[in-house]
Amino acid sequence: MALTAGHVSDVPNLDQVPETTTTSLSSLFSPRFSKGADVGRIGVKPRKFLVVGHRGSGMNSLQSSDRRMKAFKENSILSFNSAARFPVDFVTKDDCPVIFHDNFILSEENGTLSEKSVTELSLSEFLCYGPQREPSKVGKSLFRKAKDGEILSWNVERDDSLCTLEEAFQKVNSSLGFNVELKFDDRIVYQQEHLVHALQSVLKVFFLTNGGNEIYYDVRRNSLEEGVKLCVEGGLQGIVSEVKGILRNPGAVSKIKEAKLSLLTFGKLNNVPEAVHLQHLMGIEGVIVDLVQEITEAVSEMIKPLKEQGGEEILMEREEQIRAKAKPQFMENELSFLLKLVPELNS
């Protein structure tokens, strides 16, 4: 989803920051790769298990009693730079050239709640919502509609202004790479040829899917198998799947690998260290998380670099050995992880 006031081509140095898309597509770049990443047809080859901060330091779940889910305004410079305090490899960004997740902005004007499509706003109108950079200005109030329809005031512990993608490129800590998610209109079924031509001219792309957890009019979004087919036919680099879709269909991991595609996941289960550990054993290459500090600490314990001679090579060899042992059967301790996840999978 892009503002009518701007276009992705207006963002500087975009060729240095390959990106991502939804309904559709995504990509990866991080300064923490040596010489970047190999993003040819065989897919991105990360040197380590990736941890991606979701919308910065995590999405805002306004209904949650967990204060961590409301610590920083999502998709803000403050949230992105907060994530940089931990060893994350990327932060996700929704929309371009502005950064905002929802399709609509809700605000209260003269006692009446109004709802406006982001695409119908000019850039200046968009930036009028929420905290303002100039102390003398008062921004319009912000509300958010939950999945159950409840309207909630968008209150977080540390608020920040809305921002553009260009600002993020300029102000976010340079240690972070960018995973940019582009939104498309769900009411339109885009022709694959048009999407591939439009996006691959500037992006290395992944396909973002719910992995069969929800059914859409566009059948390409309804299963991992369809996602693999689209990636192979369109020359995409990999898949970003909702984690439940992978854990309910673990056989898809080997098929994705056989197609020489990379695989990352997103979803609430990625805030559970056991789920992240299990995915590492399965050969998944990275996770998008909300609880950045907790998961980066867990991953650091899970994959400790070895200090002996040739430490980097030993670490990579050790990871391959762990993955080899995890296929095709799980060890006893790995099965315990699965048992802990069963209640979560049914929620």
Side-chain angles (χ1 to χ4, degrees):
M1 180 185 302
L3 280 180
T4 54
H7 188 271
V8 66
S9 61
D10 297 328
V11 179
N13 303 322
L14 193 61
D15 60 325
Q16 297 176 17
V17 188
E19 281 102 76
T20 304
T21 57
T22 188
T23 299
S24 332
L25 319 158
S26 128
S27 95
L28 304 170
F29 170 89
S30 174
R32 294 181 180 173
F33 290 131
S34 62
K35 298 181 182 178
D38 175 7
V39 286
R41 176 62 191 89
I42 61 172
V44 174
K45 296 296 180 183
R47 293 178 54 204
K48 63 176 183 177
F49 190 76
L50 300 176
V51 178
V52 184
H54 187 208
R55 308 183 200 170
S57 291
M59 65 174 287
N60 292 152
S61 179
L62 302 179
Q63 290 177 307
S64 175
S65 59
D66 189 337
R67 293 179 60 184
R68 295 173 298 179
M69 304 301 290
K70 295 176 281 190
F72 297 92
K73 170 68 75 62
E74 68 177 47
N75 283 333
S76 67
I77 302 296
L78 178 64
S79 183
F80 300 140
N81 281 328
S82 173
R85 296 186 294 119
F86 307 102
V88 296
D89 300 276
F90 299 94
V91 290
T92 59
K93 303 260 192 304
D94 300 307
D95 302 88
C96 187
V98 298
I99 303 173
F100 196 75
H101 175 268
D102 301 354
N103 293 334
F104 297 91
I105 280 187
L106 280 71
S107 183
E108 189 176 59
E109 300 179 25
N110 300 321
T112 302
L113 196 68
S114 65
E115 182 179 78
K116 296 181 180 179
S117 172
V118 174
T119 57
E120 295 175 356
L121 299 172
S122 67
L123 180 59
S124 60
E125 289 173 330
F126 172 79
L127 294 175
C128 281
Y129 292 91
Q132 301 295 293
R133 292 181 178 84
E134 297 180 29
S136 59
K137 292 186 177 181
V138 178
K140 295 181 180 179
S141 60
L142 267 178
F143 291 81
R144 180 173 238 178
K145 182 182 292 186
K147 287 187 176 181
D148 62 6
E150 183 181 1
I151 305 297
L152 300 163
S153 180
W154 203 322
N155 294 322
V156 295
E157 292 185 10
R158 297 189 63 183
D159 213 341
D160 198 13
S161 305
L162 300 181
C163 65
T164 66
L165 184 60
E166 180 177 1
E167 286 179 297
F169 285 157
Q170 294 170 345
K171 298 178 180 179
V172 170
N173 190 303
S174 60
S175 69
L176 293 182
F178 290 80
N179 171 35
V180 183
E181 179 181 315
L182 302 183
K183 297 281 189 180
F184 293 93
D185 194 328
D186 287 339
R187 298 166 295 183
I188 300 174
V189 177
Y190 294 87
Q191 294 299 312
Q192 182 172 326
E193 294 79 8
H194 174 73
L195 287 174
V196 171
H197 175 74
L199 292 170
Q200 287 198 321
S201 61
V202 292
L203 309 176
K204 297 294 183 181
V205 295
F206 279 41
F207 184 78
L208 191 146
T209 175
N210 273 319
N213 292 315
E214 297 179 52
I215 300 301
Y216 299 91
Y217 180 74
D218 187 340
V219 297
R220 295 171 295 184
R221 305 175 63 188
N222 290 339
S223 70
L224 290 166
E225 291 74 18
E226 285 292 333
V228 170
K229 180 181 176 182
L230 184 147
C231 289
V232 171
E233 292 178 352
L236 310 186
Q237 279 65 51
I239 288 175
V240 179
S241 173
E242 211 287 333
V243 60
K244 289 183 182 179
I246 294 292
L247 295 180
R248 286 172 172 154
N249 184 15
V253 176
S254 60
K255 294 179 181 178
I256 292 170
K257 297 297 180 180
E258 288 169 5
K260 298 182 178 178
L261 299 170
S262 291
L263 174 62
L264 285 86
T265 66
F266 69 94
K268 292 182 179 179
L269 270 177
N270 282 354
N271 295 319
V272 180
E274 289 86 354
V276 174
H277 192 171
L278 178 61
Q279 291 178 73
H280 175 252
L281 294 171
M282 294 170 68
I284 292 167
E285 293 164 44
V287 291
I288 298 172
V289 307
D290 295 305
L291 304 183
V292 174
Q293 179 176 357
E294 290 80 355
I295 299 304
T296 53
E297 289 175 353
V299 169
S300 295
E301 288 296 314
M302 184 175 70
I303 313 173
K304 285 186 175 180
L306 303 183
K307 299 300 183 182
E308 297 87 351
Q309 59 182 20
E312 183 175 304
E313 290 74 15
I314 293 174
L315 173 59
M316 295 179 71
E317 180 180 347
R318 174 182 163 192
E319 288 183 346
E320 291 301 320
Q321 290 174 348
I322 291 174
R323 290 176 181 175
K325 289 180 181 178
K327 299 175 183 178
Q329 296 179 341
F330 286 106
M331 306 297 286
E332 183 178 349
N333 63 323
E334 294 157 11
L335 285 172
S336 70
F337 292 147
L338 275 173
L339 292 174
K340 290 180 180 180
L341 294 176
V342 170
E344 296 284 349
L345 286 172
N346 293 324
S347 62

